[in-house]
Amino acid sequence: MANPRYGLAEKLDRDTLIEMYRQMYLLRRFEERSAQQYGLQKIGGFCHLYIGQEAVAVGTEAALNDDDYVITAYRDHGQILARGTPPGPVMAELFGKATGVAGGKGGSMHLFDIPRHFYGGWGIVGAQIPLALGTAFASHYRDDKRVTVCYFGEAAVNQGAFHEALNMAALWKVPAIFICENNRYGMGTPIKVSSAEVEVWKRGSAHNIPGEPVDGMDALAMYDAVKRAADRARAGEGPTLLEARTYRFRGHSMSDPAVYRTRDEVETERKNDPIPKLRDYMTKKKLAKDADFTAIEEQVEKDVDGSVKFADESPWPEPSQLYADIYVDPIRRGESK
Ligand SMILES: Cc1ncc(C[n+]2csc(CCOP(=O)(O)OP(=O)(O)O)c2C)c(N)n1
């Protein structure tokens, strides 16, 4: 029986759902291996995992076109993989290797893939929101029907940059989708301690931007909400604010023991794991059998193994590259091509 809750997602075909399952599993296994590699000290600096939040990126990407823009904060591994960037260059970036997506100089928080229109990976909370306004304004100006998706955490919505960008986005009716991934904690601070209004989606009303809460633990609910927002944006109706209600199963970063929440809370949320949820939906609809899922999972294991091997065997950046890509001279840029 069709579940009316899913709206547009009810129409997704088998191939799309299979690909969504593959991505969900890839994001999970990639992050689990990243945690392991961090423990082996092959990854330095900060490392923020996306485990638990996979449905947000995977559901969103299923609703986007390849030439749409995506920009995010530092919890970016899952989002770049969902965009279609192969896991090898992503893992190599975490290792700081020359074959990484940012040449090994960006690391975990600064993943980029310009050919796939993935514009980062930014470490300052909320800083990517005005940048998203820029790409969305470019699309609006060119009338090229491309949409910008901007992800940020619920701690970012108290930044001035959030309000400044949303005001201009609404004023100019740019094709942007602002997706707040409300995973309930900004580092160790629960949202109710930092925000007078904890229903993030309502903040759009201050800027005349429609918004809605979405089950961020459900890839199909995300698909439905993002598809509707993208259709609005492409029709020239302006931005949308979505509040994806999600949960991170791990600490804020690899160095966070997460003492601000109980083990019970995490265990309860784990019962809401988005990966078995998608699997159950596909099984009930008779779109895939156990053997199909096993085949996908085995292939993902190989791909993730391959990404670690690729990163291990890749060279370090040359010292001569230390100052490369720091500053682009707009006048001289054409000469180097
Ligand atoms: C302007 C600024 N202030 C403080 C920090 C330190 N900081 C890094 S992550 C973080 C919490 C952000 O939480 P949220 O936006 O909800 O995203 P999440 O980590 O949950 O994905 C803070 C305060 C920062 N990077 N930038």
Side-chain angles (χ1 to χ4, degrees), residues 9 12 68 105 125 147 169 173-174 181 212 226 239 255 260 289 334:
L12 289 174
D68 288 332
K105 295 188 291 181
V125 170
V147 166
K173 283 192 171 228
V174 301
E181 294 194 69
E212 62 179 292
V226 175
S255 54
Y260 46 84
K289 298 200 232 7

Short mmCIF file of all heavy atoms in Angstrom, two decimals, residues 9 12 68 105 125 147 169 173-174 181 212 226 239 255 260 289 334:
data_model
loop_
_atom_site.label_atom_id
_atom_site.label_comp_id
_atom_site.label_asym_id
_atom_site.label_seq_id
_atom_site.Cartn_x
_atom_site.Cartn_y
_atom_site.Cartn_z
N ALA A 9 7.57 11.24 -3.52
CA ALA A 9 8.52 10.11 -3.44
C ALA A 9 7.86 8.78 -3.80
O ALA A 9 8.55 7.82 -4.14
CB ALA A 9 9.13 10.03 -2.05
N LEU A 12 8.97 7.46 -7.18
CA LEU A 12 10.36 7.11 -7.50
C LEU A 12 10.43 5.67 -8.01
O LEU A 12 9.80 4.77 -7.46
CB LEU A 12 11.23 7.26 -6.26
CG LEU A 12 11.49 8.71 -5.81
CD1 LEU A 12 12.24 8.74 -4.49
CD2 LEU A 12 12.26 9.47 -6.89
N ASP A 68 22.86 21.55 -10.37
CA ASP A 68 22.49 22.41 -9.25
C ASP A 68 23.70 22.60 -8.33
O ASP A 68 24.63 21.80 -8.34
CB ASP A 68 21.33 21.78 -8.46
CG ASP A 68 20.01 21.85 -9.22
OD1 ASP A 68 19.84 22.77 -10.05
OD2 ASP A 68 19.15 20.98 -9.00
N LYS A 105 45.04 19.87 0.86
CA LYS A 105 45.28 21.05 1.69
C LYS A 105 44.03 21.53 2.45
O LYS A 105 44.12 22.44 3.26
CB LYS A 105 45.84 22.18 0.83
CG LYS A 105 47.22 21.84 0.27
CD LYS A 105 47.86 23.00 -0.42
CE LYS A 105 47.13 23.32 -1.71
NZ LYS A 105 47.74 24.45 -2.43
N VAL A 125 30.88 28.70 11.36
CA VAL A 125 29.44 28.40 11.46
C VAL A 125 28.61 29.50 10.77
O VAL A 125 28.73 30.67 11.12
CB VAL A 125 29.03 28.25 12.94
CG1 VAL A 125 27.51 28.18 13.08
CG2 VAL A 125 29.67 26.99 13.53
N VAL A 147 19.30 25.40 -9.18
CA VAL A 147 18.91 25.63 -7.79
C VAL A 147 20.16 25.51 -6.91
O VAL A 147 21.05 24.72 -7.20
CB VAL A 147 17.85 24.57 -7.39
CG1 VAL A 147 17.64 24.52 -5.89
CG2 VAL A 147 16.53 24.84 -8.11
N ALA A 169 17.68 36.81 -0.05
CA ALA A 169 17.19 35.71 -0.89
C ALA A 169 15.70 35.87 -1.18
O ALA A 169 15.24 35.66 -2.31
CB ALA A 169 17.45 34.37 -0.21
N LYS A 173 14.02 36.87 -4.60
CA LYS A 173 13.38 35.61 -5.03
C LYS A 173 14.36 34.68 -5.74
O LYS A 173 14.11 34.18 -6.85
CB LYS A 173 12.19 35.90 -5.97
CG LYS A 173 10.95 36.37 -5.23
CD LYS A 173 9.77 36.34 -6.18
CE LYS A 173 8.51 36.58 -5.42
NZ LYS A 173 7.43 35.81 -5.57
N VAL A 174 15.49 34.44 -5.11
CA VAL A 174 16.50 33.59 -5.73
C VAL A 174 16.12 32.11 -5.58
O VAL A 174 15.42 31.73 -4.63
CB VAL A 174 17.92 33.84 -5.15
CG1 VAL A 174 18.34 35.29 -5.35
CG2 VAL A 174 18.00 33.43 -3.71
N GLU A 181 19.95 21.29 9.10
CA GLU A 181 20.02 19.93 9.64
C GLU A 181 19.98 20.05 11.16
O GLU A 181 21.02 20.28 11.79
CB GLU A 181 21.29 19.22 9.18
CG GLU A 181 21.29 19.01 7.68
CD GLU A 181 22.36 18.02 7.25
OE1 GLU A 181 22.23 16.83 7.56
OE2 GLU A 181 23.32 18.44 6.60
N GLU A 212 9.05 24.41 6.27
CA GLU A 212 8.35 23.28 6.88
C GLU A 212 9.34 22.37 7.59
O GLU A 212 10.52 22.32 7.20
CB GLU A 212 7.56 22.48 5.84
CG GLU A 212 8.39 21.86 4.74
CD GLU A 212 7.54 21.06 3.74
OE1 GLU A 212 7.01 20.01 4.14
OE2 GLU A 212 7.45 21.49 2.58
N VAL A 226 12.22 18.40 -0.69
CA VAL A 226 13.21 19.11 -1.51
C VAL A 226 12.72 19.23 -2.95
O VAL A 226 12.89 20.27 -3.59
CB VAL A 226 14.60 18.41 -1.45
CG1 VAL A 226 15.59 19.08 -2.39
CG2 VAL A 226 15.13 18.44 -0.02
N PRO A 239 12.95 31.28 -2.57
CA PRO A 239 13.57 30.30 -1.66
C PRO A 239 12.58 29.61 -0.72
O PRO A 239 11.46 30.07 -0.53
CB PRO A 239 14.53 31.16 -0.84
CG PRO A 239 13.94 32.53 -0.87
CD PRO A 239 13.21 32.67 -2.18
N SER A 255 36.77 14.11 18.65
CA SER A 255 37.34 14.33 19.99
C SER A 255 36.26 14.61 21.04
O SER A 255 36.55 15.01 22.15
CB SER A 255 38.34 15.49 19.94
OG SER A 255 37.70 16.63 19.39
N TYR A 260 27.09 15.22 27.23
CA TYR A 260 25.91 16.08 27.42
C TYR A 260 24.61 15.37 27.07
O TYR A 260 23.54 15.94 27.14
CB TYR A 260 26.06 17.34 26.53
CG TYR A 260 26.52 17.01 25.13
CD1 TYR A 260 25.61 16.63 24.15
CD2 TYR A 260 27.88 17.03 24.81
CE1 TYR A 260 26.04 16.27 22.89
CE2 TYR A 260 28.32 16.68 23.55
CZ TYR A 260 27.39 16.31 22.59
OH TYR A 260 27.83 15.96 21.34
N LYS A 289 15.00 -7.50 -2.86
CA LYS A 289 15.02 -8.63 -1.91
C LYS A 289 16.33 -8.58 -1.13
O LYS A 289 17.25 -7.82 -1.47
CB LYS A 289 14.97 -9.95 -2.69
CG LYS A 289 13.71 -10.16 -3.52
CD LYS A 289 13.59 -11.65 -3.79
CE LYS A 289 13.42 -12.14 -5.19
NZ LYS A 289 13.46 -11.51 -6.39
N GLY A 334 43.23 33.92 -16.56
CA GLY A 334 43.08 33.45 -17.93
C GLY A 334 44.40 33.04 -18.55
O GLY A 334 44.45 32.16 -19.41
#
